[in-house]
Amino acid sequence: MLKQIQQLGANTLGTLQGLGRATQMLFGALWGRPRPIKNWHLYMKQIYVVGVLSLLIILVSGLFIGMVLALQGYTVLAKFGAEQMLGPLVALSLLRELGPVVTALLFAGRAGSALTAEIGLMKATEQLSSMEMMAVDPLRRVIAPRFWAGVISMPLLALIFNAVGILGGHLVGVDWLGVDGGGYWSAMQANVDFQQDVVNGVIKSIVFAFIVTVIALHKGFDAVPTSEGISQATTQTVVTASLAVLGFDFVLTAVMFGG
Amino acid sequence: MTSRKLELFVGFFVALAIAALLLLAMKVANTGVAGSDQSYQLLAKFENIGGLKVRSPVKVGGVVVGRVASIQLDPESFQPVVALDINSSYNNFPETSSLAILTSGLLGEQYIGLQPGFVDENVEILKNGDYIEDTKSAIVLEELIGQFLFNRGNQ
Amino acid sequence: MEFGLDKPLVDIQNLTFRRGDRVIYDDMSMQFQRGKVTAIMGPSGIGKTTLLRLIGGQLKPDSGQILFEGADIPKLSRQDLYQARKKMSMLFQSGALFTDMSVFDNVAFPIREHTRLPEAIIRTMVLMKLEAVGLRGARDLMPAELSGGMARRAALARAIALDPQLIMYDEPFAGQDPISMGVIVRLIRSLNDALGLTSIVVSHDVAEVMSIADYVYVVAERRVIGHGTPDQLRQHESPLVQQFLQGQADGPVPFHFKAADYATELMELSR
């Protein structure tokens, strides 16, 4: 029993240490005057790798989730004779919850694990060390562009996810199940508030983007430089980032929509 | 990958995101009322606000003219006081207008229906901060049933 | 003005370094003369790579001084350390080329980062460095397309891109076929002489090292156990040095890892 408690204590201390190192890494990467003009190409490349290459999975997932929402929602609403509320159902579910959260989870799995693996591998093959020895700060050159790429790309992906999902809902609800087209959009407009729903959803996805990107970068930077270590780090990124997103989602939802 | 192609793809990505944002802003959310920010406030007291919430719409004949800004309890009379933000383009409601808390549909959310009153030389136009005197409270289900049974009992 | 041309470029004084509970170096001192190839040899696992990292400022010693051109490396501010690093280069065991750029861009990397030279001049410089290591024709290949030996040569070209004063080699001969070995041996010596470099070679390949080094330090058991020119070293009286130089399987470094009495253990198994 005592051993378990000791282990728990050790794990907690380890987590706190990790948090401290992650903050150090972040400050080292972002503090001081930025030089984006010179490394413009680096930032663009990272936005491409992290954002553009995730487009496919986001588009397909958004479409299918929107369609499933419409399908499931219609069945339930029809029981109450409230089919005309399908639009708001799909829109609010996506904008407030599914858009930011599912995008974050998919992002953690696809882009987050790729970031961790890439940085871990750079560490294992001593590329980061040799950069240091050449008097180039690897935090500025490697970590910073990836950080900004993640924080910028993910909210954009969430917006696209939402839009595609709502269109998918329209496809199923209106074109397939026969809900009135005009009613779909007008009921939506009557019940979706820009500030309350759209903006809050964007705020959520920005917070999630920060969390996922920092976790991915930190796990890669801190990885044990062996193949086993990198594999462990990649797994940890996906698990930790996903749990953190879900946890923060609860907190944010309570704050934004709880009252 | 050449620099040109890279910039092209990234630009496409950002453009797609902006298009999504526009779609959400225009077609999905009701930026109409949220957009025009010129409004004035009217106040009203009710016996019972029922399920009325802040940001519930205020409608005249079904057209949204404003939103509920706040709902508070008068500390002396213990009556709910509702503040309404009315769009400035609808600025000539007479003081004889009446308010009722109605429900949209059977299970729908509650809103405030504004019925403009009659106008003659003695009647003033409502200005910012004025009270609307004639108000009908929300229908509480228990009272309705009680009334119904009472009526039945009387027959 | 060049720092004291007669003083050693790198001067390690009374270095003590611990990792956890283990003492890696205990009050060790070494000097590396300007313009010479100095080798550090010793059994594996004693921390030779750690020494290079200490010189480069990636690790901090527990006590002692590491003087590079008179400046104590562990005490430098971040800014000054980066300035000092611009004059040093390190060749890692695996080459450590940046895998997302071509050989050309790898060699051009330090030039582009630290200078504002126009691309035309950078191109000339890169071609010259690649020519020196014999890889000018391979400049558009990606690191994944290079063999191990070629990758190391490309990394060497990158290491000399900014004409450093000090270049450190971490096990440059490890795992190389005889031809690549010959190439690297030749390059280390010729570059050192042609560019007026100071080279520190960490290795345990006795034959190769002895053929090109001007001075050798043999490090074992947390300190220097022998040093001198290759000829002096071959006549060194320490049995540990002799065992190392001659590659004897048993001697002061025992063949058997510490274990209990052989006969007793065998009897246990059969019980």
Side-chain angles (χ1 to χ4, degrees):
Chain A
M1 185 62 202
L2 191 63
K3 196 151 181 262
Q4 260 83 319
I5 298 181
Q6 269 183 326
Q7 189 66 24
L8 187 67
N11 283 347
T12 315
L13 283 178
T15 314
L16 283 176
Q17 268 184 318
L19 203 61
R21 280 200 300 272
T23 316
Q24 256 186 330
M25 177 197 79
L26 206 58
F27 265 112
L30 304 177
W31 186 256
R33 50 183 178 82
R35 301 188 301 167
I37 313 290
K38 194 171 178 202
N39 291 332
W40 176 242
H41 186 78
L42 276 180
Y43 286 82
M44 292 283 268
K45 173 137 192 262
Q46 286 313 312
I47 295 184
Y48 174 79
V49 169
V50 156
V52 177
L53 290 183
S54 304
L55 257 186
L56 184 64
I57 190 175
I58 294 293
L59 285 174
V60 174
S61 307
L63 184 68
F64 277 115
I65 288 186
M67 299 203 307
V68 166
L69 266 180
L71 206 53
Q72 289 277 29
Y74 182 84
T75 327
V76 177
L77 288 175
K79 290 204 182 108
F80 296 94
E83 299 95 340
Q84 76 273 23
M85 295 299 270
L86 190 64
L89 176 83
V90 172
L92 289 176
S93 310
L94 283 170
L95 288 170
R96 289 185 183 181
E97 284 303 319
L98 292 178
V101 174
V102 174
T103 307
L105 295 178
L106 290 173
F107 189 80
R110 197 234 141 246
S113 62
L115 280 176
T116 305
E118 190 189 10
I119 296 181
L121 202 62
M122 287 180 86
K123 187 177 179 191
T125 51
E126 294 179 303
Q127 288 178 44
L128 296 181
S129 265
S130 64
M131 222 183 265
E132 248 189 319
M133 283 307 297
M134 283 188 254
V136 174
D137 187 359
L139 289 178
R140 281 279 169 77
R141 197 155 207 286
V142 172
I143 304 285
R146 286 166 175 78
F147 172 78
W148 288 114
V151 170
I152 292 174
S153 301
M154 219 205 84
L156 297 182
L157 289 170
L159 282 174
I160 295 174
F161 185 94
N162 288 335
V164 172
I166 291 175
L167 291 174
H170 183 273
L171 194 70
V172 167
V174 174
D175 297 334
W176 184 10
L177 292 171
V179 173
D180 174 45
Y184 186 84
W185 295 111
S186 62
M188 206 188 286
Q189 281 167 10
N191 286 289
V192 173
D193 178 63
F194 187 75
Q195 269 177 318
Q196 178 77 339
D197 300 313
V198 179
V199 172
N200 272 342
V202 171
I203 293 177
K204 268 195 188 180
S205 60
I206 293 179
V207 171
F208 295 157
F210 182 83
I211 293 171
V212 174
T213 312
V214 169
I215 290 179
L217 292 174
H218 170 247
K219 292 285 180 193
F221 199 65
D222 241 24
V224 175
T226 61
S227 50
E228 207 182 78
I230 294 176
S231 144
Q232 221 187 21
T234 322
T235 319
Q236 278 181 359
T237 291
V238 179
V239 172
T240 312
S242 303
L243 292 177
V245 161
L246 292 172
F248 271 86
D249 179 48
F250 176 73
V251 172
L252 286 173
T253 307
V255 166
M256 290 177 187
F257 302 104
Chain B
M1 157 130 343
T2 65
S3 192
R4 286 268 296 280
K5 257 167 93 179
L6 206 67
E7 286 170 12
L8 196 68
F9 278 120
V10 173
F12 169 71
F13 173 56
V14 176
L16 197 64
I18 294 179
L21 183 65
L22 286 177
L23 174 79
L24 293 179
M26 302 282 116
K27 282 215 85 179
V28 173
N30 52 353
T31 17
V33 179
S36 53
D37 43 6
Q38 295 288 4
S39 64
Y40 65 102
Q41 243 193 25
L42 294 178
L43 300 157
K45 289 196 181 132
F46 290 87
E47 289 282 332
N48 193 317
I49 55 155
L52 197 69
K53 292 189 277 291
V54 175
R55 298 200 62 79
S56 294
V58 179
K59 300 187 192 177
V60 177
V63 177
V64 178
V65 303
R67 296 215 168 255
V68 174
S70 68
I71 301 175
Q72 279 157 346
L73 206 58
D74 187 309
E76 278 144 38
S77 63
F78 294 113
Q79 267 195 328
V81 178
V82 180
L84 309 168
D85 278 335
I86 307 291
N87 196 317
S88 298
S89 34
Y90 309 106
N91 58 357
N92 53 359
F93 293 116
E95 58 178 1
T96 47
S97 307
S98 67
L99 295 174
I101 298 182
L102 305 167
T103 314
S104 47
L106 202 57
L107 300 171
E109 51 181 31
Q110 300 205 304
Y111 65 97
I112 293 189
L114 198 160
Q115 181 83 336
F118 63 90
V119 186
D120 63 24
E121 313 86 55
N122 298 330
V123 172
E124 285 179 9
I125 302 294
L126 292 169
K127 298 180 307 298
N128 187 32
D130 282 344
Y131 271 85
I132 299 182
E133 304 294 329
D134 190 358
T135 63
K136 287 189 206 52
S137 294
I139 298 175
V140 179
L141 200 58
E142 290 80 3
E143 289 179 10
L144 192 64
I145 293 176
Q147 259 190 352
F148 176 69
L149 291 175
F150 183 68
N151 285 343
R152 281 297 300 268
N154 273 354
Q155 284 174 359
Chain C
M1 186 60 212
E2 288 263 17
F3 167 73
L5 286 168
D6 54 333
K7 292 217 194 80
L9 187 65
V10 180
D11 194 351
I12 299 181
Q13 310 248 348
N14 309 109
L15 174 71
T16 304
F17 181 72
R18 277 187 207 88
R19 186 171 270 141
D21 292 329
R22 256 183 70 199
V23 178
I24 312 279
Y25 299 120
D26 194 5
D27 197 27
M28 203 170 71
S29 297
M30 299 165 122
Q31 282 79 41
F32 301 91
Q33 296 299 334
R34 190 184 285 275
K36 302 264 183 273
V37 175
T38 312
I40 303 175
M41 294 205 295
S44 20
I46 54 128
K48 302 193 288 290
T49 311
T50 311
L51 188 60
L52 294 184
R53 286 185 196 261
L54 283 164
I55 298 176
Q58 283 185 320
L59 297 171
K60 278 202 169 52
D62 291 302
S63 68
Q65 288 185 313
I66 302 175
L67 299 170
F68 176 70
E69 285 200 331
D72 193 9
I73 295 280
K75 293 202 171 52
L76 289 179
S77 70
R78 232 170 99 99
Q79 279 284 73
D80 293 333
L81 183 59
Y82 271 137
Q83 292 302 322
R85 280 194 183 146
K86 287 187 198 171
K87 300 190 209 149
M88 314 177 187
S89 267
M90 183 136 139
L91 185 64
F92 288 85
Q93 201 165 336
S94 56
L97 292 173
F98 301 130
T99 45
D100 53 344
M101 329 177 178
S102 67
V103 168
F104 184 94
D105 289 325
N106 261 282
V107 179
F109 179 80
I111 310 177
R112 288 188 181 130
E113 282 296 312
H114 292 308
T115 68
R116 285 204 185 86
L117 293 171
E119 277 301 309
I121 297 194
I122 294 182
R123 184 173 176 276
T124 315
M125 287 172 74
V126 171
L127 289 180
M128 277 167 45
K129 306 299 178 186
L130 283 174
E131 177 75 8
V133 302
L135 284 181
R136 186 166 51 89
R139 66 179 176 274
D140 289 322
L141 294 179
M142 297 298 283
E145 296 166 322
L146 300 174
S147 72
M150 286 168 72
R152 226 171 264 196
R153 283 197 274 164
L156 182 51
R158 183 179 69 181
I160 57 169
L162 285 178
D163 292 324
Q165 293 183 346
L166 172 68
I167 179 162
M168 298 183 272
Y169 297 88
D170 188 6
E171 304 275 3
F173 311 120
Q176 296 286 291
D177 67 82
I179 298 180
S180 313
M181 191 90 88
V183 169
I184 294 277
V185 167
R186 175 180 132 168
L187 279 176
I188 293 180
R189 188 72 238 185
S190 59
L191 283 178
N192 190 79
D193 297 333
L195 301 177
L197 294 172
T198 306
S199 307
I200 302 179
V201 179
V202 161
S203 176
H204 46 239
D205 287 296
V206 175
E208 281 69 31
V209 165
M210 297 294 251
S211 68
I212 55 164
D214 295 314
Y215 205 77
V216 178
Y217 283 93
V218 182
V219 177
E221 293 170 355
R222 301 183 295 278
R223 50 187 188 80
V224 177
I225 57 163
H227 60 99
T229 65
D231 289 323
Q232 287 175 338
L233 215 53
R234 281 194 198 96
Q235 277 136 33
H236 204 273
E237 70 271 353
S238 157
L240 183 49
V241 171
Q242 290 303 327
Q243 181 194 7
F244 185 75
L245 289 178
Q246 289 163 32
Q248 291 165 344
D250 205 6
V253 177
F255 176 71
H256 288 290
F257 192 75
K258 258 223 210 52
D261 179 51
Y262 191 33
T264 324
E265 277 208 333
L266 278 181
M267 300 304 269
E268 279 174 15
L269 275 173
S270 66
R271 211 183 290 149

